[in-house]
């Protein structure tokens, strides 16, 4: 059975996506890292869904749903760097803002929905979203006040959704893709 996760894309990442003209395009890759500068996609396997979220003015948006294909370096990644000055993933320069230059970055090839910034998560859904850890304990999002997120700290990282929350986010992204 596949799992679903969330990852928070920062303002810098989203600004870089817009500046590079990637809105409406499907990212073929994202990056996992061993350093706090990148989320570690720990536990994600082929077939799992990852929902990239963005917070703007206390509203949470689903930017893209990415289905993991693999976590391997492939030919599309380009030649591995010979020195520290060489780019880590020259084959993915168009999507480098997703973490290609991060410390210990590893590629995660994905089949994704187009990048967009107009798919909000309703306040009711935001208040009911839940994540579960490996021990099966669940937690809800902190700092939700009147359907708006006051502080994004509890979204920062890479977290496994509960089955119900995964289904809710799947419906949000399905509606957004079909309305396009």
């Amino acid at each position: 059975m596949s799992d679903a996760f969330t990852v928070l894309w920062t303002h810098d990442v989203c600004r870089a996506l817009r500046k590079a003209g990637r809105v409406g395009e499907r990212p073929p890759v994202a990056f996992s890292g061993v350093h706090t500068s990148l989320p570690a996609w720990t536990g994600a396997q082929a077939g799992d869904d990852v929902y990239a979220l963005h917070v703007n003015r206390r509203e949470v948006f689903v930017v893209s749903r990415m289905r993991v294909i693999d976590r391997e370096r492939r030919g599309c990644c380009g030649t591995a760097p010979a020195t520290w000055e060489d780019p880590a993933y020259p084959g993915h320069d168009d999507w480098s803002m997703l973490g290609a230059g991060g410390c210990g970055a590893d590629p995660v090839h994905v089949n994704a929905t187009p990048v967009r910034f107009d798919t909000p998560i309703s306040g009711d859904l935001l208040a009911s979203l839940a994540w579960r850890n490996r021990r099966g304990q669940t937690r809800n999002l902190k700092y939700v006040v009147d359907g708006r997120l006051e502080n994004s700290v509890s979204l920062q990282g890479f977290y496994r959704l509960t089955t119900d929350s995964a289904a809710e986010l799947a419906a949000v992204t399905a509606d957004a893709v079909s309305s396009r």
Side-chain angles (χ1 to χ4, degrees), residues 7-174:
V7 64
L8 181 67
W9 282 356
T10 65
H11 285 290
D12 290 341
V13 168
C14 293
R15 190 177 304 115
L17 286 165
R18 286 183 180 106
K19 186 176 179 181
R22 298 289 164 244
V23 176
E25 295 183 18
R26 297 172 185 265
V29 68
F31 296 90
S32 171
V34 295
H35 186 267
T36 57
S37 61
L38 278 177
W41 290 42
T42 307
Q45 299 176 15
D48 290 346
D49 287 334
V50 178
Y51 294 91
L53 306 178
H54 176 61
V55 180
N56 189 10
R57 294 186 177 106
R58 302 179 326 162
E59 193 169 11
V60 181
F61 296 85
V62 178
V63 179
S64 182
R65 188 224 66 229
M66 300 171 282
R67 183 153 296 144
V68 176
I69 297 171
D70 66 40
R71 297 182 60 179
E72 312 275 323
R73 184 180 191 105
R74 299 191 289 177
C76 62
C77 296
T79 307
T83 71
W84 66 270
E85 295 172 318
D86 296 336
Y89 297 96
H92 294 302
D93 280 344
D94 290 349
W95 296 94
S96 63
M97 74 284 292
L98 298 181
C103 184
D106 289 318
V108 181
H109 293 95
V110 296
N111 178 5
T113 60
V115 169
R116 52 189 298 172
F117 296 98
D118 61 352
T119 308
I121 297 175
S122 72
D124 291 339
L125 176 55
L126 192 61
S128 70
L129 283 179
W131 291 263
R132 64 180 168 83
N133 64 20
R134 291 182 185 186
R135 294 182 301 261
Q137 298 168 322
T138 62
R139 71 167 178 90
N140 291 86
L141 194 57
K142 295 179 182 179
Y143 311 112
V144 177
V145 177
D146 296 329
R148 302 186 49 90
L149 188 63
E150 297 292 320
N151 187 330
S152 64
V153 70
S154 60
L155 275 180
Q156 295 170 2
F158 190 83
Y159 300 110
R160 184 183 320 266
L161 288 160
T162 63
T163 304
D164 291 344
S165 290
E168 293 282 356
L169 285 183
V172 168
T173 57

